[in-house]
Amino acid sequence: PRAPSRPCRGSAMESLDVKELVIYEDGRRVTGVREFFVAKALLEGHKEHLSELVPSQWGLIHIFDLCLWFGHHDTALALCRLGVDGCSVPAYYDLGPYAAEPQCECDEDDFSICKWCYDYHNFCHCWGNQTCQYCSWWWPVEDGIWMKDWDARLGFAVRAAAQAAQKPLLRELLKMARAGEELPLALPAEGMARVLDVAILTGDREAAVHISKKCQVWPLRRWRGRDFVDTKFCARILLAALWAGADFQSIHVPHFDFTLRETIAIPLQAHIFLCRSEDWQDYAEFFKPAAGAEWRPTSTDNEMVGCFSGLAKWPLLSVDRIQGAPKAGIDIRKVRGAWGLRDTLHCSGSLLGLAILYGQQDCAVACARLGLQQSGFELNRDANSVLRDYLHSEASSDHPLLDYHLFLFLNEDL
């Protein structure tokens, strides 16, 4: 425990000897705190006396520090709430637990890689403290401090933070921050960074925003793009970090392209949009893609057109999805897909072509404004007769295919 340079002396109610609140062994060594007597002193208004330092094997020390050292967190919090001077979290106080990585089970004899190491290195090419295109630190390294488990995987870090958030002191600090209240005690820079780290990992947006305004340094850890493949799992974490000031622009998520048969990197904001996150509008204000740097599919048969349909009216396109693509940094001119009108008729085309095919004028106009040009369809066998039969059937009466003549115009070969 720390030992301040000089003690603070009280002036009122001299009858209280603060040393009586501490349990000594051999007259010098502190072995505990008399919680009942500390509480009694608080109720009787001995705030100034409780701010005095007591002798210990570590030197002069505050009663608040001793309460933390011996695990009396509720008593320590009571000292803070009632305004006892000198209450501050010492640098040695552990705001853990921190994430522990699973033990490696690789077999060097047969050169086999265990599941932990495979998951750890898959899609990640980081080396030491250098990040690859899939990963990020979130904040500038020169403005931050490394968390003790800075290289842990997200799932392990989240579980450790959830446990840390249940510790009485940290739980109370997060509760007060969530309510926008001033913290009643002083925290060292690294301690405040850890509190923000826990708030982000537990998805506590309100607490993260409040604490970020007090941070002198930022919590640094490696955030891997592959940890954000499941947008539902990380949604609250992402939003808490964004509201706290984190920068996600450099993170990419690995995506396996079945056409190219290789893994490609998709910017995080584009991945969130394509995964139909219900909170996309909450993310949109934080992502500002640079002009000319939009992401576009690399394969011509990418089958991403389904990401632009309306869930409630499948397979109709959604004009909101089309108009929202630029905010996610997506160039929709390369988006294509294949849809079937029935078992014997299948077509593929761009978003504009499909909007015309389904008679969605608002979607067609939105596509044109984003630079899409008129393009035809590629139809399967004997498309002319199949399509004509389909249009004259009763099944076509409920189908959104409205303008057969426009369809013929786009496909002059029919």
Side-chain angles (χ1 to χ4, degrees):
R2 58 183 174 78
S5 57
R6 62 187 181 84
C8 300
R9 299 186 180 279
S11 58
M13 305 183 71
E14 297 293 339
S15 59
L16 175 66
D17 184 359
V18 71
K19 290 188 292 185
E20 295 179 356
L21 306 178
V22 179
I23 302 173
Y24 285 98
E25 183 179 291
D26 300 331
R28 297 181 307 171
R29 182 179 180 82
V30 176
T31 59
V33 176
R34 303 179 189 276
E35 287 188 274
F36 174 80
F37 293 103
V38 173
K40 184 172 182 293
L42 281 171
L43 292 174
E44 293 176 353
H46 291 277
K47 291 197 303 182
E48 293 187 11
H49 289 84
L50 289 170
S51 66
E52 296 181 4
L53 307 182
V54 297
S56 71
Q57 60 268 38
W58 305 289
L60 294 175
I61 192 169
H62 198 284
I63 194 72
F64 175 82
D65 291 5
L66 290 176
C67 288
L68 291 181
W69 181 262
F70 291 106
H72 305 312
H73 299 95
D74 292 335
T75 304
L77 287 171
L79 292 169
C80 297
R81 292 195 195 96
L82 295 179
V84 175
D85 292 336
C87 293
S88 63
V89 177
Y92 65 80
Y93 183 70
D94 187 10
L95 291 172
Y98 296 88
E101 289 293 326
Q103 186 175 359
C104 175
E105 300 174 357
C106 295
D107 191 339
E108 296 181 0
D109 295 333
D110 60 4
F111 303 100
S112 63
I113 300 177
C114 69
K115 62 177 181 179
W116 302 116
C117 292
Y118 176 79
D119 292 340
Y120 183 80
H121 295 290
N122 197 20
F123 307 126
C124 178
H125 307 288
C126 294
W127 181 261
N129 60 359
Q130 300 297 319
T131 59
C132 65
Q133 65 172 333
Y134 295 107
C135 306
S136 173
W137 302 125
W138 279 5
W139 281 283
V141 174
E142 59 273 15
D143 298 332
I145 186 170
W146 298 102
M147 297 293 97
K148 293 182 180 180
D149 55 352
W150 65 272
D151 202 30
R153 279 162 280 187
L154 181 60
F156 294 101
V158 167
R159 283 193 288 271
Q163 295 176 17
Q166 294 304 313
K167 296 177 69 172
L169 178 62
L170 199 48
R171 183 178 65 241
E172 187 66 20
L173 293 178
L174 291 173
K175 179 181 178 181
M176 298 182 71
R178 196 179 305 121
E181 301 176 7
E182 291 296 325
L183 302 185
L185 74 168
L187 281 165
E190 57 271 26
M192 188 68 76
R194 172 56 178 169
V195 177
L196 175 59
D197 186 50
V198 172
I200 290 174
L201 289 172
T202 55
D204 195 335
R205 184 194 309 186
E206 292 78 11
V209 171
H210 184 77
I211 296 168
S212 66
K213 299 175 182 178
K214 309 293 182 181
C215 280
Q216 300 176 2
V217 293
W218 303 106
L220 297 178
R221 63 172 58 251
R222 193 192 304 281
W223 297 91
R224 297 176 176 83
R226 68 169 180 270
D227 290 330
F228 299 103
V229 172
D230 184 355
T231 55
K232 292 184 178 180
F233 168 72
C234 62
R236 295 174 63 244
I237 299 173
L238 280 170
L239 288 173
L242 287 168
W243 278 93
D247 182 7
F248 286 95
Q249 295 295 123
S250 61
I251 290 185
H252 289 70
V253 178
H255 171 76
F256 186 77
D257 190 309
F258 287 94
T259 303
L260 299 177
R261 295 188 178 278
E262 64 180 33
T263 300
I264 61 175
I266 300 180
L268 179 61
Q269 62 268 30
H271 171 74
I272 295 173
F273 179 85
L274 293 173
C275 288
R276 300 176 169 280
S277 173
E278 297 178 355
D279 302 318
W280 164 246
Q281 293 301 326
D282 295 333
Y283 295 103
E285 62 180 289
F286 296 100
F287 294 124
K288 298 179 180 180
E294 295 86 356
W295 177 83
R296 59 182 59 86
T298 54
S299 60
T300 57
D301 190 17
N302 47 74
E303 298 296 335
M304 287 190 174
V305 72
C307 298
F308 295 86
S309 63
L311 291 177
K313 297 182 179 180
W314 173 266
L316 296 184
L317 296 175
S318 167
V319 66
D320 293 333
R321 298 286 296 171
I322 294 173
Q323 294 173 340
K327 296 181 180 179
I330 299 175
D331 184 351
I332 65 173
R333 290 176 295 180
K334 296 294 184 180
V335 173
R336 293 182 63 85
W339 286 353
L341 299 181
R342 64 175 187 176
D343 294 340
T344 56
L345 176 62
H346 301 276
C347 63
S348 64
S350 67
L351 285 174
L352 176 57
L354 291 170
I356 295 173
L357 171 65
Y358 281 90
Q360 295 182 265
Q361 182 178 353
D362 55 346
C363 292
V365 172
C367 289
R369 289 176 176 174
L370 292 176
L372 272 74
Q373 297 179 354
Q374 181 174 291
S375 60
F377 293 88
E378 297 175 358
L379 296 176
N380 69 332
R381 64 167 189 84
D382 198 16
N384 189 11
S385 61
V386 172
L387 183 58
R388 289 182 185 278
D389 293 342
Y390 181 77
L391 289 171
H392 289 87
S393 67
E394 295 182 358
S396 66
S397 60
D398 296 327
H399 200 280
L401 187 64
L402 301 180
D403 197 337
Y404 178 58
H405 296 290
L406 183 56
F407 184 80
L408 289 179
F409 171 76
L410 293 176
N411 296 267
E412 297 177 357
D413 56 322
L414 291 181

